[in-house]
Amino acid sequence: MRIGELASRSGVSVRALRYYEEQGLLTSLRSPAGQRVYPEPAADRVRLIQLLYSAGLSSRTILELLPCVESQVATPESAARLGAERERIDAQIAELTAVRERLDEVIAMSLDPAHNCEYRPV
Amino acid sequence: MRIGELASRSGVSVRALRYYEEQGLLTSLRSPAGQRVYPEPAADRVRLIQLLYSAGLSSRTILELLPCVESQVATPESAARLGAERERIDAQIAELTAVRERLDEVIAMSLDPAHNCEYRPV
DNA sequence: CTTGCCTCTGACGTCAACGTCAGGTTTTAG
DNA sequence: CTAAAACCTGACGTTGACGTCAGAGGCAAG
């Protein structure tokens, strides 16, 4: 498949796919005329890349971890990186959970008619 | 207290504090000579701002939600925003959890000596 | 053949949350 | 009083993951 189809199948932009290739995260074959051609599994790979990006990993980190995430085999250096990223993600989840709780408190208050006595619409 | 002390107490840079003020998230009194002066509770406010930033909220969103998060009172518009941010945070936690699981799988594999047969150090 | 869409490379634009530097004033320690 | 440290405003620099545009070539349909 060509780049436009991969883009729509994986839900990212054409520009993003070229960027991933530039970063070494994605490879492509080329047609005789020089157009990028991808095999079927590329869509899954792109979705995985997007998932890792959305978890806050950088291109460089994804580049390092993608091989072992896909192959399920880690080198010692990768294992260290994996652990570090795991810790970062745990911390991030903790922060998000804390903020969610604060928001929930306010939401609960705003739904409690007995508490809303301080707000008066104009 | 002055800006340097607030910075060290709240764990952010002086530049960041001035930026927060520029964004309307933080107010300050001024000494006769024009230096910023903060009351004690400012440190808590700054830490709350940082927490919200770390949860991925933008300045604009924080500006809108900070009053009701601190006062525990929400206007109808703010309530809508609160709900939207809560959903975003839920989704983000779900993504982080998914990535953490993938990483954990790889970590478990790399710790399993019976599986490591594919990796040979040079 | 040509029209219209897809693709190419290369390069500049964007946006947020600050970092950093310049040039000047204020506060504090001695 | 003086030097160091802290502060001021204003402005330009940074970073990552793309968006967007220009100019040129490729490809299926009628």
Side-chain angles (χ1 to χ4, degrees):
Chain A
M1 93 187 86
R2 292 188 303 171
I3 198 171
E5 189 178 348
L6 178 58
S8 62
R9 280 205 202 185
S10 54
V12 307
S13 70
V14 168
R15 177 66 175 94
L17 294 178
R18 290 201 268 250
Y19 177 74
Y20 297 164
E21 182 168 332
E22 191 182 318
Q23 300 300 306
L25 305 178
L26 191 63
T27 56
S28 61
L29 303 172
R30 294 300 180 118
S31 77
Q35 300 198 344
R36 292 175 178 81
V37 176
Y38 301 92
E40 283 300 322
D44 287 335
R45 185 180 181 100
V46 171
R47 276 188 285 266
L48 177 56
I49 292 172
Q50 269 293 109
L51 181 66
L52 295 175
Y53 269 125
S54 73
L57 307 206
S58 68
S59 292
R60 216 177 80 70
T61 306
I62 296 177
L63 181 58
E64 188 178 342
L65 297 186
L66 198 50
C68 46
V69 171
E70 281 196 318
S71 72
Q72 303 274 52
V73 176
T75 71
E77 312 90 65
S78 298
R81 204 54 170 294
L82 282 166
E85 283 305 319
R86 205 220 119 97
E87 277 192 42
R88 204 190 51 74
I89 289 173
D90 267 353
Q92 183 69 22
I93 290 177
E95 283 175 343
L96 285 167
T97 303
V99 170
R100 185 174 63 179
E101 279 174 18
R102 302 268 325 223
L103 296 188
D104 281 347
E105 283 176 29
V106 185
I107 290 172
M109 289 299 185
S110 70
L111 293 179
D112 175 8
H115 179 270
N116 240 354
C117 51
E118 294 180 56
Y119 170 66
R120 309 212 174 277
V122 282
Chain B
M1 95 186 83
R2 293 188 304 171
I3 198 169
E5 189 178 348
L6 178 58
S8 62
R9 281 206 203 185
S10 54
V12 308
S13 70
V14 167
R15 178 66 175 93
L17 294 177
R18 290 201 269 251
Y19 176 75
Y20 297 166
E21 182 167 333
E22 192 183 317
Q23 301 299 306
L25 305 178
L26 191 62
T27 57
S28 63
L29 302 172
R30 293 301 179 117
S31 78
Q35 298 199 347
R36 291 175 178 83
V37 176
Y38 301 92
E40 283 300 323
D44 287 335
R45 186 180 179 98
V46 171
R47 276 189 285 265
L48 177 56
I49 291 173
Q50 268 293 109
L51 181 66
L52 296 175
Y53 268 126
S54 73
L57 306 207
S58 68
S59 292
R60 216 176 79 70
T61 305
I62 296 177
L63 181 58
E64 189 178 343
L65 298 186
L66 198 50
C68 47
V69 170
E70 281 195 320
S71 72
Q72 303 274 52
V73 177
T75 70
E77 313 88 65
S78 298
R81 202 54 170 293
L82 283 167
E85 283 306 318
R86 206 218 118 96
E87 277 192 42
R88 204 190 51 74
I89 289 174
D90 267 353
Q92 184 68 23
I93 290 178
E95 282 176 344
L96 285 167
T97 304
V99 170
R100 186 174 62 179
E101 280 175 19
R102 302 267 326 223
L103 296 188
D104 281 347
E105 284 176 29
V106 185
I107 291 171
M109 290 297 186
S110 70
L111 292 179
D112 174 9
H115 179 270
N116 239 355
C117 51
E118 294 182 54
Y119 170 67
R120 311 214 172 276
V122 282

